Coordinates of all heavy atoms in Angstrom, one line a residue:
M1 N -19.5 17.2 -14.4 CA -20.6 16.3 -14.3 C -21.3 16.3 -15.7 O -21.7 15.2 -16.1 CB -21.6 16.8 -13.3 CG -21.2 16.5 -11.9 SD -20.9 14.8 -11.6 CE -22.5 14.3 -11.0
A2 N -21.5 17.5 -16.3 CA -22.2 17.5 -17.6 C -21.4 16.7 -18.7 O -22.0 16.0 -19.5 CB -22.4 18.9 -18.1
W3 N -20.1 16.8 -18.6 CA -19.2 16.0 -19.5 C -19.4 14.5 -19.4 O -19.6 13.8 -20.3 CB -17.8 16.4 -19.2 CG -16.8 15.6 -20.0 CD1 -16.5 15.8 -21.3 CD2 -16.0 14.5 -19.6 NE1 -15.6 14.8 -21.7 CE2 -15.2 14.0 -20.7 CE3 -15.9 13.9 -18.4 CZ2 -14.4 13.0 -20.5 CZ3 -15.0 12.8 -18.2 CH2 -14.3 12.4 -19.3
Y4 N -19.5 14.1 -18.1 CA -19.7 12.6 -17.9 C -21.1 12.2 -18.3 O -21.2 11.1 -18.9 CB -19.4 12.3 -16.4 CG -19.5 10.9 -16.1 CD1 -18.6 9.9 -16.5 CD2 -20.7 10.4 -15.4 CE1 -18.7 8.6 -16.2 CE2 -20.8 9.0 -15.1 CZ -19.8 8.1 -15.6 OH -19.9 6.8 -15.3
A5 N -22.1 13.0 -18.0 CA -23.4 12.7 -18.4 C -23.6 12.6 -19.9 O -24.2 11.7 -20.4 CB -24.4 13.7 -17.9
E6 N -22.9 13.5 -20.6 CA -22.9 13.5 -22.1 C -22.2 12.2 -22.6 O -22.7 11.6 -23.6 CB -22.3 14.7 -22.7 CG -22.3 14.8 -24.2 CD -23.7 15.0 -24.7 OE1 -24.7 15.3 -24.0 OE2 -23.9 14.7 -26.0
L7 N -21.1 11.9 -22.0 CA -20.4 10.7 -22.4 C -21.2 9.5 -22.2 O -21.3 8.5 -23.0 CB -19.1 10.5 -21.6 CG -17.9 11.4 -22.0 CD1 -16.7 11.1 -21.1 CD2 -17.5 11.1 -23.5
K8 N -21.9 9.4 -21.0 CA -22.8 8.3 -20.7 C -23.9 8.2 -21.7 O -24.3 7.1 -22.1 CB -23.2 8.4 -19.3 CG -23.9 7.2 -18.8 CD -24.1 7.3 -17.3 CE -24.6 6.0 -16.7 NZ -24.8 6.0 -15.3
R9 N -24.5 9.4 -22.0 CA -25.6 9.4 -23.0 C -25.2 8.9 -24.3 O -25.9 8.1 -25.0 CB -26.2 10.8 -23.1 CG -27.5 10.9 -23.9 CD -28.0 12.3 -24.0 NE -27.2 13.1 -24.9 CZ -27.3 13.1 -26.2 NH1 -28.1 12.3 -26.8 NH2 -26.6 13.9 -26.9
R10 N -24.1 9.3 -24.8 CA -23.6 9.0 -26.2 C -22.8 7.7 -26.2 O -22.5 7.2 -27.3 CB -22.9 10.1 -26.8 CG -23.7 11.3 -27.1 CD -23.0 12.3 -27.8 NE -23.8 13.5 -28.0 CZ -23.4 14.5 -28.8 NH1 -22.3 14.4 -29.6 NH2 -24.2 15.6 -28.9
Q11 N -22.3 7.3 -25.1 CA -21.5 6.1 -24.9 C -20.2 6.2 -25.8 O -19.8 5.3 -26.4 CB -22.2 4.8 -25.3 CG -23.3 4.6 -24.3 CD -24.0 3.2 -24.5 OE1 -23.8 2.5 -25.5 NE2 -24.8 2.8 -23.6
W12 N -19.6 7.4 -25.8 CA -18.3 7.6 -26.4 C -17.2 6.9 -25.7 O -16.2 6.6 -26.3 CB -18.0 9.1 -26.5 CG -18.8 9.8 -27.5 CD1 -19.6 9.3 -28.4 CD2 -18.9 11.2 -27.5 NE1 -20.2 10.4 -29.1 CE2 -19.8 11.5 -28.6 CE3 -18.4 12.3 -26.8 CZ2 -20.1 12.8 -28.9 CZ3 -18.7 13.6 -27.2 CH2 -19.6 13.8 -28.2
Y13 N -17.4 6.6 -24.4 CA -16.4 6.0 -23.6 C -16.2 4.5 -23.9 O -15.3 3.9 -23.4 CB -16.7 6.3 -22.1 CG -18.0 5.8 -21.7 CD1 -18.2 4.5 -21.3 CD2 -19.1 6.6 -21.7 CE1 -19.4 4.0 -20.8 CE2 -20.3 6.2 -21.3 CZ -20.5 4.9 -20.9 OH -21.7 4.4 -20.5
C14 N -17.2 3.9 -24.6 CA -17.1 2.5 -24.8 C -16.2 2.2 -26.0 O -16.4 2.7 -27.1 CB -18.5 1.9 -25.1 SG -19.6 1.9 -23.6
I15 N -15.2 1.4 -25.7 CA -14.2 1.0 -26.7 C -14.3 -0.5 -26.8 O -14.0 -1.2 -25.8 CB -12.8 1.5 -26.4 CG1 -12.8 3.0 -26.2 CG2 -11.8 1.0 -27.4 CD1 -11.5 3.5 -25.6
N16 N -14.8 -1.0 -27.9 CA -15.0 -2.5 -28.1 C -15.8 -3.1 -27.0 O -15.4 -4.1 -26.4 CB -13.6 -3.2 -28.2 CG -12.9 -2.8 -29.4 OD1 -13.5 -2.4 -30.5 ND2 -11.5 -2.9 -29.4
A17 N -16.9 -2.4 -26.6 CA -17.8 -2.8 -25.6 C -17.2 -2.8 -24.2 O -17.8 -3.4 -23.2 CB -18.4 -4.2 -25.9
F18 N -16.1 -2.2 -24.0 CA -15.5 -2.0 -22.6 C -15.7 -0.6 -22.2 O -15.4 0.3 -23.0 CB -14.0 -2.4 -22.6 CG -13.8 -3.9 -22.7 CD1 -13.3 -4.4 -23.9 CD2 -14.0 -4.7 -21.7 CE1 -13.0 -5.7 -24.0 CE2 -13.8 -6.1 -21.8 CZ -13.3 -6.6 -23.0
N19 N -16.1 -0.4 -21.0 CA -16.2 1.0 -20.4 C -14.9 1.5 -20.0 O -14.3 1.2 -19.0 CB -17.2 0.9 -19.2 CG -17.5 2.3 -18.7 OD1 -16.8 3.3 -19.0 ND2 -18.6 2.4 -18.0
A20 N -14.3 2.4 -20.9 CA -12.9 2.9 -20.7 C -12.8 3.7 -19.4 O -11.8 3.7 -18.7 CB -12.5 3.7 -21.9
I21 N -13.9 4.5 -19.1 CA -13.9 5.4 -17.9 C -13.8 4.5 -16.7 O -13.0 4.8 -15.8 CB -15.1 6.3 -17.9 CG1 -15.0 7.3 -19.0 CG2 -15.2 7.0 -16.5 CD1 -16.1 8.2 -19.1
S22 N -14.6 3.5 -16.5 CA -14.6 2.6 -15.3 C -13.2 1.9 -15.2 O -12.7 1.7 -14.1 CB -15.7 1.6 -15.3 OG -15.6 0.7 -16.4
L23 N -12.6 1.5 -16.3 CA -11.3 0.9 -16.3 C -10.3 1.8 -15.8 O -9.4 1.5 -15.0 CB -10.9 0.3 -17.7 CG -11.8 -0.9 -18.2 CD1 -11.4 -1.2 -19.6 CD2 -11.6 -2.1 -17.2
Y24 N -10.3 3.1 -16.3 CA -9.4 4.1 -15.9 C -9.5 4.5 -14.4 O -8.6 4.6 -13.7 CB -9.5 5.3 -16.7 CG -8.5 6.4 -16.4 CD1 -7.1 6.2 -16.7 CD2 -8.9 7.6 -15.9 CE1 -6.2 7.1 -16.4 CE2 -7.9 8.6 -15.5 CZ -6.6 8.3 -15.8 OH -5.7 9.3 -15.5
I25 N -10.8 4.6 -13.9 CA -11.0 4.8 -12.5 C -10.5 3.7 -11.7 O -9.9 3.9 -10.6 CB -12.5 5.1 -12.3 CG1 -12.9 6.4 -12.9 CG2 -12.9 5.1 -10.8 CD1 -14.4 6.7 -12.9
K26 N -10.7 2.5 -12.1 CA -10.2 1.3 -11.4 C -8.7 1.4 -11.3 O -8.1 1.1 -10.3 CB -10.7 0.0 -12.0 CG -10.3 -1.2 -11.3 CD -10.8 -2.5 -12.0 CE -10.4 -3.7 -11.2 NZ -10.8 -4.9 -11.9
Y27 N -8.0 1.7 -12.4 CA -6.6 1.8 -12.5 C -6.1 2.9 -11.5 O -5.1 2.7 -10.8 CB -6.1 2.2 -13.9 CG -4.7 2.6 -14.0 CD1 -3.7 1.7 -13.9 CD2 -4.4 4.0 -14.1 CE1 -2.3 2.1 -13.9 CE2 -3.1 4.4 -14.2 CZ -2.0 3.5 -14.1 OH -0.7 3.9 -14.1
L28 N -6.8 4.1 -11.5 CA -6.4 5.2 -10.6 C -6.5 4.7 -9.1 O -5.6 5.0 -8.3 CB -7.3 6.4 -10.8 CG -7.0 7.2 -12.1 CD1 -7.9 8.3 -12.2 CD2 -5.5 7.6 -12.1
N29 N -7.6 4.0 -8.8 CA -7.8 3.5 -7.4 C -6.8 2.5 -7.0 O -6.2 2.6 -5.9 CB -9.2 2.9 -7.3 CG -10.3 3.9 -7.2 OD1 -10.0 5.1 -6.8 ND2 -11.5 3.6 -7.6
E30 N -6.4 1.6 -7.9 CA -5.3 0.6 -7.6 C -4.0 1.3 -7.4 O -3.2 1.0 -6.5 CB -5.3 -0.4 -8.7 CG -6.4 -1.4 -8.7 CD -6.4 -2.3 -9.9 OE1 -5.5 -2.2 -10.7 OE2 -7.3 -3.1 -10.0
T31 N -3.7 2.3 -8.3 CA -2.5 3.1 -8.1 C -2.4 3.8 -6.8 O -1.4 3.8 -6.1 CB -2.3 4.1 -9.3 OG1 -2.5 3.4 -10.5 CG2 -1.0 4.8 -9.2
W32 N -3.5 4.4 -6.4 CA -3.6 5.1 -5.1 C -3.4 4.2 -4.0 O -2.7 4.4 -3.1 CB -4.9 5.8 -5.0 CG -5.2 6.3 -3.6 CD1 -4.7 7.4 -3.0 CD2 -6.1 5.7 -2.7 NE1 -5.2 7.5 -1.8 CE2 -6.0 6.5 -1.5 CE3 -6.9 4.6 -2.7 CZ2 -6.8 6.2 -0.4 CZ3 -7.6 4.3 -1.6 CH2 -7.5 5.1 -0.4
W33 N -4.1 3.0 -4.1 CA -4.0 2.0 -3.0 C -2.6 1.5 -2.8 O -2.1 1.4 -1.7 CB -5.0 0.9 -3.2 CG -5.0 -0.1 -2.1 CD1 -4.4 -1.3 -2.1 CD2 -5.6 0.1 -0.8 NE1 -4.7 -2.0 -0.9 CE2 -5.4 -1.1 -0.1 CE3 -6.3 1.1 -0.2 CZ2 -5.8 -1.3 1.2 CZ3 -6.8 0.9 1.1 CH2 -6.5 -0.3 1.8
N34 N -1.9 1.2 -3.9 CA -0.6 0.7 -3.9 C 0.4 1.8 -3.4 O 1.5 1.4 -2.9 CB -0.1 0.2 -5.2 CG -0.9 -1.0 -5.6 OD1 -1.4 -1.8 -4.8 ND2 -1.0 -1.2 -6.9
S35 N 0.1 3.0 -3.5 CA 1.0 4.1 -3.0 C 0.9 4.3 -1.5 O 1.8 4.9 -0.9 CB 0.7 5.4 -3.7 OG -0.6 5.9 -3.2
L36 N -0.1 3.7 -0.8 CA -0.3 3.9 0.6 C 0.7 3.0 1.4 O 1.1 1.9 0.9 CB -1.7 3.5 1.0 CG -2.8 4.4 0.5 CD1 -4.1 3.9 1.0 CD2 -2.6 5.8 0.9
T37 N 1.1 3.5 2.6 CA 1.9 2.6 3.4 C 1.0 1.7 4.2 O -0.3 1.8 4.1 CB 2.7 3.5 4.5 OG1 1.7 4.1 5.3 CG2 3.5 4.5 3.8
E38 N 1.6 0.7 4.9 CA 0.7 -0.3 5.6 C -0.1 0.4 6.7 O -1.2 0.0 7.0 CB 1.6 -1.4 6.2 CG 2.2 -2.3 5.1 CD 1.1 -3.0 4.3 OE1 0.1 -3.4 4.9 OE2 1.2 -3.1 3.1
E39 N 0.5 1.4 7.4 CA -0.2 2.1 8.4 C -1.4 2.8 7.8 O -2.5 2.9 8.4 CB 0.7 3.1 9.1 CG 1.8 2.5 9.9 CD 2.8 3.5 10.5 OE1 2.6 4.7 10.1 OE2 3.7 3.1 11.2
Q40 N -1.2 3.5 6.7 CA -2.3 4.2 6.0 C -3.4 3.2 5.6 O -4.6 3.5 5.7 CB -1.8 5.0 4.8 CG -1.0 6.2 5.2 CD -0.3 6.8 4.0 OE1 0.0 6.1 3.0 NE2 -0.1 8.1 4.1
K41 N -3.1 2.1 5.1 CA -4.0 1.0 4.7 C -4.8 0.6 5.9 O -6.0 0.4 5.9 CB -3.4 -0.1 4.0 CG -2.8 0.2 2.6 CD -2.1 -1.0 2.0 CE -1.6 -0.6 0.7 NZ -0.8 -1.8 0.1
Q42 N -4.1 0.3 7.0 CA -4.7 -0.1 8.3 C -5.7 1.0 8.8 O -6.8 0.7 9.2 CB -3.7 -0.4 9.3 CG -4.3 -0.9 10.6 CD -5.0 -2.2 10.5 OE1 -4.6 -3.0 9.6 NE2 -5.9 -2.5 11.3
H43 N -5.3 2.2 8.7 CA -6.1 3.3 9.1 C -7.4 3.4 8.3 O -8.5 3.6 8.8 CB -5.4 4.7 9.1 CG -6.1 5.8 9.5 ND1 -6.6 6.0 10.8 CD2 -6.6 6.9 8.8 CE1 -7.3 7.2 10.8 NE2 -7.3 7.7 9.6
Y44 N -7.2 3.2 7.0 CA -8.4 3.2 6.0 C -9.3 2.1 6.4 O -10.5 2.3 6.4 CB -7.8 3.1 4.6 CG -8.9 3.1 3.6 CD1 -9.5 4.3 3.2 CD2 -9.4 2.0 3.0 CE1 -10.5 4.4 2.2 CE2 -10.4 2.0 2.0 CZ -10.9 3.2 1.7 OH -12.0 3.3 0.7
H45 N -8.8 0.9 6.7 CA -9.7 -0.2 7.1 C -10.4 0.1 8.3 O -11.6 -0.2 8.5 CB -8.9 -1.5 7.2 CG -8.5 -2.1 5.9 ND1 -9.4 -2.5 4.9 CD2 -7.3 -2.4 5.4 CE1 -8.7 -3.0 3.9 NE2 -7.4 -3.0 4.2
E46 N -9.8 0.7 9.3 CA -10.5 1.1 10.5 C -11.5 2.1 10.3 O -12.6 2.0 10.9 CB -9.4 1.7 11.5 CG -8.4 0.6 12.1 CD -7.3 1.3 12.9 OE1 -7.3 2.5 13.0 OE2 -6.5 0.5 13.3
L47 N -11.3 3.1 9.4 CA -12.3 4.1 9.1 C -13.5 3.4 8.4 O -14.7 3.7 8.7 CB -11.8 5.2 8.2 CG -10.8 6.1 8.8 CD1 -10.2 7.1 7.7 CD2 -11.4 6.9 9.9
E48 N -13.3 2.5 7.5 CA -14.3 1.8 6.8 C -15.2 0.9 7.9 O -16.4 0.9 7.8 CB -13.8 0.8 5.8 CG -13.3 1.5 4.6 CD -14.4 2.2 3.8 OE1 -15.4 1.6 3.6 OE2 -14.2 3.4 3.4
E49 N -14.5 0.3 8.8 CA -15.2 -0.5 9.8 C -16.1 0.4 10.7 O -17.2 0.1 11.0 CB -14.2 -1.2 10.7 CG -14.8 -2.2 11.6 CD -15.6 -3.3 10.9 OE1 -15.1 -3.7 9.8 OE2 -16.6 -3.8 11.5
R50 N -15.5 1.6 11.1 CA -16.3 2.5 11.9 C -17.5 3.0 11.1 O -18.6 3.2 11.7 CB -15.4 3.7 12.3 CG -14.6 3.5 13.5 CD -14.0 4.8 13.9 NE -12.5 4.5 14.1 CZ -11.6 5.4 13.8 NH1 -11.8 6.6 13.4 NH2 -10.3 5.0 14.0
K51 N -17.3 3.2 9.8 CA -18.5 3.7 9.0 C -19.5 2.6 8.9 O -20.7 2.9 9.0 CB -18.0 4.1 7.6 CG -19.1 4.6 6.7 CD -18.5 5.0 5.3 CE -19.7 5.4 4.5 NZ -19.5 5.2 3.1
K52 N -19.1 1.3 8.7 CA -20.1 0.2 8.7 C -20.9 0.2 10.0 O -22.1 0.0 10.0 CB -19.3 -1.1 8.5 CG -19.3 -1.6 7.1 CD -18.8 -3.0 7.1 CE -18.0 -3.2 5.9 NZ -17.3 -4.5 5.8
I53 N -20.2 0.3 11.1 CA -20.8 0.2 12.4 C -21.8 1.4 12.6 O -23.0 1.2 13.0 CB -19.8 0.2 13.6 CG1 -19.0 -1.1 13.5 CG2 -20.5 0.4 14.9 CD1 -17.8 -1.1 14.5
R54 N -21.4 2.6 12.2 CA -22.3 3.8 12.3 C -23.5 3.6 11.4 O -24.6 3.9 11.8 CB -21.5 5.0 11.9 CG -22.3 6.3 12.1 CD -21.4 7.5 11.7 NE -21.1 7.6 10.3 CZ -19.8 7.5 9.8 NH1 -18.8 7.6 10.6 NH2 -19.6 7.6 8.5
D55 N -23.3 3.1 10.2 CA -24.4 2.9 9.3 C -25.4 1.9 9.8 O -26.6 2.0 9.7 CB -23.9 2.5 7.9 CG -23.2 3.6 7.2 OD1 -23.3 4.8 7.6 OD2 -22.6 3.4 6.2
R56 N -24.8 0.8 10.4 CA -25.7 -0.3 11.0 C -26.5 0.3 12.1 O -27.7 0.0 12.3 CB -24.8 -1.4 11.4 CG -25.7 -2.6 11.9 CD -24.9 -3.8 12.2 NE -24.2 -4.3 11.0 CZ -23.1 -5.0 10.9 NH1 -22.5 -5.2 12.0 NH2 -22.6 -5.4 9.8
E57 N -25.9 1.1 13.0 CA -26.6 1.7 14.1 C -27.7 2.7 13.6 O -28.8 2.7 14.2 CB -25.6 2.5 15.0 CG -24.7 1.6 15.8 CD -23.6 2.3 16.6 OE1 -23.5 3.6 16.3 OE2 -22.9 1.7 17.3
K58 N -27.4 3.4 12.6 CA -28.5 4.3 12.0 C -29.6 3.5 11.5 O -30.8 3.8 11.7 CB -27.9 5.1 10.9 CG -27.2 6.4 11.2 CD -26.8 7.2 10.0 CE -26.0 8.4 10.3 NZ -25.6 9.1 9.1
L59 N -29.3 2.4 10.8 CA -30.4 1.6 10.2 C -31.2 1.0 11.4 O -32.4 0.9 11.3 CB -29.8 0.5 9.4 CG -30.8 -0.4 8.7 CD1 -31.7 0.4 7.8 CD2 -30.1 -1.5 7.8
N60 N -30.6 0.5 12.4 CA -31.3 0.0 13.6 C -32.2 1.0 14.2 O -33.3 0.8 14.6 CB -30.3 -0.6 14.6 CG -29.8 -1.9 14.2 OD1 -30.4 -2.7 13.4 ND2 -28.6 -2.3 14.6
L61 N -31.7 2.3 14.3 CA -32.5 3.4 14.8 C -33.7 3.6 14.0 O -34.8 3.8 14.5 CB -31.6 4.6 14.9 CG -32.3 5.9 15.5 CD1 -32.6 5.7 17.0 CD2 -31.4 7.1 15.3
Y62 N -33.5 3.7 12.6 CA -34.6 3.9 11.7 C -35.6 2.7 11.8 O -36.8 3.0 11.8 CB -34.2 4.0 10.3 CG -33.3 5.2 10.0 CD1 -32.3 5.2 9.1 CD2 -33.5 6.4 10.7 CE1 -31.5 6.3 8.9 CE2 -32.7 7.5 10.5 CZ -31.7 7.5 9.6 OH -30.9 8.6 9.3
L63 N -35.1 1.5 11.9 CA -36.1 0.4 12.0 C -36.9 0.5 13.3 O -38.1 0.2 13.3 CB -35.3 -0.9 12.0 CG -34.8 -1.4 10.6 CD1 -33.9 -2.6 10.7 CD2 -36.0 -1.6 9.7
S64 N -36.2 0.8 14.4 CA -37.0 0.9 15.7 C -38.0 2.0 15.6 O -39.1 1.9 16.1 CB -36.0 1.1 16.8 OG -35.4 2.4 16.7
F65 N -37.7 3.1 14.9 CA -38.7 4.2 14.7 C -39.8 3.7 13.9 O -41.0 4.0 14.3 CB -38.0 5.4 14.1 CG -39.0 6.5 13.8 CD1 -39.5 7.3 14.7 CD2 -39.4 6.7 12.4 CE1 -40.4 8.3 14.4 CE2 -40.3 7.7 12.1 CZ -40.8 8.5 13.2
I66 N -39.6 3.0 12.8 CA -40.6 2.5 12.0 C -41.5 1.5 12.7 O -42.7 1.5 12.6 CB -40.1 1.9 10.7 CG1 -39.5 3.1 9.8 CG2 -41.1 1.2 9.9 CD1 -38.7 2.6 8.6
K67 N -40.8 0.7 13.5 CA -41.5 -0.3 14.3 C -42.5 0.3 15.3 O -43.6 -0.1 15.4 CB -40.5 -1.2 15.0 CG -41.2 -2.4 15.7 CD -40.2 -3.2 16.5 CE -39.3 -4.0 15.6 NZ -38.4 -4.9 16.4
S68 N -42.0 1.4 15.9 CA -42.9 2.0 16.9 C -44.1 2.7 16.2 O -45.2 2.7 16.7 CB -42.1 3.0 17.7 OG -41.6 4.1 16.9
A69 N -43.8 3.2 15.0 CA -44.9 3.9 14.2 C -45.9 2.8 13.8 O -47.1 3.1 13.8 CB -44.3 4.6 13.0
C70 N -45.4 1.6 13.4 CA -46.3 0.6 13.0 C -47.1 0.1 14.2 O -48.3 -0.3 14.0 CB -45.5 -0.6 12.4 SG -44.9 -0.2 10.8
L71 N -46.5 0.0 15.3 CA -47.2 -0.5 16.5 C -48.3 0.5 16.9 O -49.4 0.2 17.3 CB -46.3 -0.7 17.7 CG -45.4 -1.9 17.6 CD1 -44.4 -1.8 18.8 CD2 -46.2 -3.2 17.6
A72 N -48.0 1.8 16.7 CA -49.0 2.8 17.0 C -50.2 2.8 16.0 O -51.3 3.1 16.4 CB -48.4 4.2 16.9
T73 N -50.0 2.4 14.8 CA -51.1 2.3 13.8 C -51.6 0.9 13.6 O -52.4 0.7 12.8 CB -50.6 2.8 12.5 OG1 -49.5 2.0 12.0 CG2 -50.2 4.3 12.6
H74 N -51.1 -0.1 14.4 CA -51.5 -1.5 14.3 C -51.3 -2.0 12.9 O -52.2 -2.7 12.3 CB -53.0 -1.6 14.7 CG -53.2 -1.0 16.1 ND1 -52.8 -1.6 17.2 CD2 -53.9 0.1 16.5 CE1 -53.1 -0.9 18.2 NE2 -53.8 0.1 17.8
A75 N -50.2 -1.8 12.3 CA -49.9 -2.3 10.9 C -49.1 -3.6 11.0 O -47.9 -3.6 11.1 CB -49.1 -1.3 10.1
E76 N -49.8 -4.7 11.0 CA -49.2 -6.0 11.2 C -48.3 -6.4 10.0 O -47.3 -7.0 10.2 CB -50.3 -7.1 11.5 CG -50.9 -7.0 12.8 CD -52.0 -6.0 12.9 OE1 -52.5 -5.6 11.8 OE2 -52.4 -5.6 14.0
E77 N -48.8 -6.1 8.8 CA -48.1 -6.5 7.6 C -46.7 -5.8 7.6 O -45.7 -6.4 7.3 CB -48.9 -6.2 6.4 CG -48.2 -6.6 5.1 CD -49.1 -6.3 3.9 OE1 -50.3 -6.3 4.0 OE2 -48.5 -6.1 2.8
A78 N -46.7 -4.6 7.9 CA -45.5 -3.8 7.9 C -44.5 -4.4 9.0 O -43.3 -4.4 8.8 CB -45.7 -2.3 8.2
M79 N -45.1 -4.8 10.1 CA -44.3 -5.4 11.2 C -43.6 -6.6 10.7 O -42.4 -6.9 11.0 CB -45.1 -5.7 12.4 CG -45.5 -4.4 13.2 SD -44.1 -3.5 13.9 CE -43.5 -4.7 15.0
D80 N -44.3 -7.5 9.9 CA -43.7 -8.7 9.4 C -42.5 -8.3 8.5 O -41.5 -9.0 8.5 CB -44.8 -9.5 8.6 CG -45.8 -10.1 9.5 OD1 -45.6 -10.2 10.7 OD2 -46.9 -10.4 9.0
R81 N -42.7 -7.3 7.6 CA -41.6 -6.9 6.8 C -40.4 -6.4 7.5 O -39.3 -6.7 7.2 CB -42.1 -5.9 5.8 CG -43.0 -6.4 4.8 CD -43.4 -5.4 3.8 NE -44.4 -6.0 2.8 CZ -45.1 -5.3 2.0 NH1 -45.0 -4.0 1.9 NH2 -45.9 -5.9 1.1
I82 N -40.7 -5.6 8.6 CA -39.6 -5.1 9.4 C -38.8 -6.3 10.1 O -37.6 -6.2 10.2 CB -40.1 -4.1 10.5 CG1 -40.6 -2.8 9.7 CG2 -39.1 -3.8 11.5 CD1 -41.3 -1.9 10.6
S83 N -39.6 -7.3 10.6 CA -38.9 -8.4 11.2 C -38.0 -9.1 10.2 O -37.0 -9.7 10.5 CB -39.9 -9.3 11.9 OG -40.7 -9.9 10.9
D84 N -38.5 -9.2 8.9 CA -37.7 -9.8 7.9 C -36.4 -9.0 7.7 O -35.3 -9.6 7.6 CB -38.4 -9.9 6.6 CG -39.6 -10.9 6.6 OD1 -39.6 -11.7 7.6 OD2 -40.5 -10.8 5.8
V85 N -36.5 -7.7 7.7 CA -35.3 -6.9 7.5 C -34.3 -7.0 8.7 O -33.1 -7.1 8.5 CB -35.7 -5.4 7.3 CG1 -34.5 -4.5 7.4 CG2 -36.4 -5.2 6.0
E86 N -34.9 -7.1 9.9 CA -34.1 -7.4 11.1 C -33.3 -8.7 11.0 O -32.2 -8.8 11.4 CB -34.9 -7.3 12.4 CG -35.4 -5.9 12.7 CD -36.3 -5.9 13.9 OE1 -37.0 -6.9 14.1 OE2 -36.3 -4.8 14.5
K87 N -34.0 -9.7 10.5 CA -33.3 -11.0 10.3 C -32.1 -10.9 9.4 O -31.0 -11.4 9.6 CB -34.3 -12.0 9.8 CG -35.3 -12.5 10.8 CD -36.3 -13.4 10.2 CE -37.4 -13.8 11.1 NZ -38.5 -14.6 10.5
I88 N -32.3 -10.1 8.3 CA -31.2 -9.9 7.3 C -30.1 -9.1 8.0 O -28.9 -9.4 7.8 CB -31.8 -9.2 6.1 CG1 -32.7 -10.1 5.3 CG2 -30.6 -8.7 5.2 CD1 -33.5 -9.4 4.2
M89 N -30.5 -8.1 8.8 CA -29.4 -7.3 9.5 C -28.6 -8.2 10.4 O -27.4 -7.9 10.6 CB -30.1 -6.2 10.2 CG -30.6 -5.1 9.4 SD -29.2 -4.3 8.5 CE -28.3 -3.7 9.8
R90 N -29.2 -9.1 11.1 CA -28.5 -10.0 12.0 C -27.4 -10.8 11.3 O -26.3 -11.1 11.8 CB -29.4 -10.9 12.8 CG -30.1 -10.2 13.9 CD -30.9 -11.1 14.8 NE -32.1 -10.5 15.1 CZ -33.3 -10.9 14.8 NH1 -33.5 -12.1 14.2 NH2 -34.4 -10.3 15.2
R91 N -27.7 -11.2 10.0 CA -26.8 -12.0 9.2 C -25.5 -11.1 8.8 O -24.5 -11.7 8.7 CB -27.4 -12.5 8.0 CG -28.4 -13.6 8.2 CD -28.9 -14.1 6.9 NE -30.3 -14.5 7.1 CZ -31.2 -14.5 6.2 NH1 -30.9 -14.1 5.0 NH2 -32.5 -14.9 6.5
L92 N -25.7 -9.8 8.7 CA -24.6 -9.0 8.3 C -23.8 -8.8 9.5 O -22.7 -8.7 9.6 CB -25.1 -7.6 7.8 CG -26.1 -7.7 6.5 CD1 -26.5 -6.3 6.2 CD2 -25.3 -8.2 5.4

């Protein structure tokens, strides 16, 4: 971590204004992805989908908690913001 932080601070990793570390990480990820079988790729997609659903459920739980807290304190402005967030969540 300290090595990466120092590189980031001094920007030694920039070669002709390209971030060499991010390009290398992208290359490693592509190599890893291409090495997977179709079953492994499908399994990975399923895990990602489950994670998305779990995260969305957590966010809905947090929103409902905040909404109940706002109702308890009669905070109308906060309720308007929460309803805006809920509209955005429905689009996702």
Side-chain angles (χ1 to χ4, degrees):
M1 286 302 269
W3 174 77
Y4 182 73
E6 182 66 17
L7 284 179
K8 192 169 186 175
R9 187 180 73 79
R10 295 188 183 192
Q11 294 187 348
W12 288 346
Y13 57 88
C14 288
I15 302 168
N16 294 332
F18 289 106
N19 185 341
I21 291 177
S22 65
L23 291 174
Y24 183 67
I25 289 172
K26 185 177 178 183
Y27 167 76
L28 289 177
N29 284 336
E30 288 175 0
T31 306
W32 167 77
W33 183 256
N34 292 333
S35 70
L36 296 177
T37 64
E38 289 301 319
E39 291 175 357
Q40 290 171 329
K41 289 178 183 179
Q42 182 65 28
H43 181 67
Y44 182 79
H45 285 303
E46 290 171 1
L47 290 176
E48 288 294 315
E49 188 63 31
R50 280 190 229 144
K51 184 180 177 206
K52 260 189 217 178
I53 292 170
R54 185 179 64 242
D55 290 347
R56 187 175 293 153
E57 288 172 353
K58 277 186 183 179
L59 183 58
N60 285 333
L61 180 67
Y62 296 147
L63 283 174
S64 66
F65 174 75
I66 291 171
K67 189 185 283 185
S68 64
C70 289
L71 288 173
T73 60
H74 305 290
E76 289 83 17
E77 183 178 332
M79 286 297 293
D80 292 338
R81 290 183 181 167
I82 290 171
S83 63
D84 293 341
V85 171
E86 287 176 334
K87 287 176 189 174
I88 293 170
M89 285 298 299
R90 282 189 219 118
R91 288 186 214 148
L92 299 177

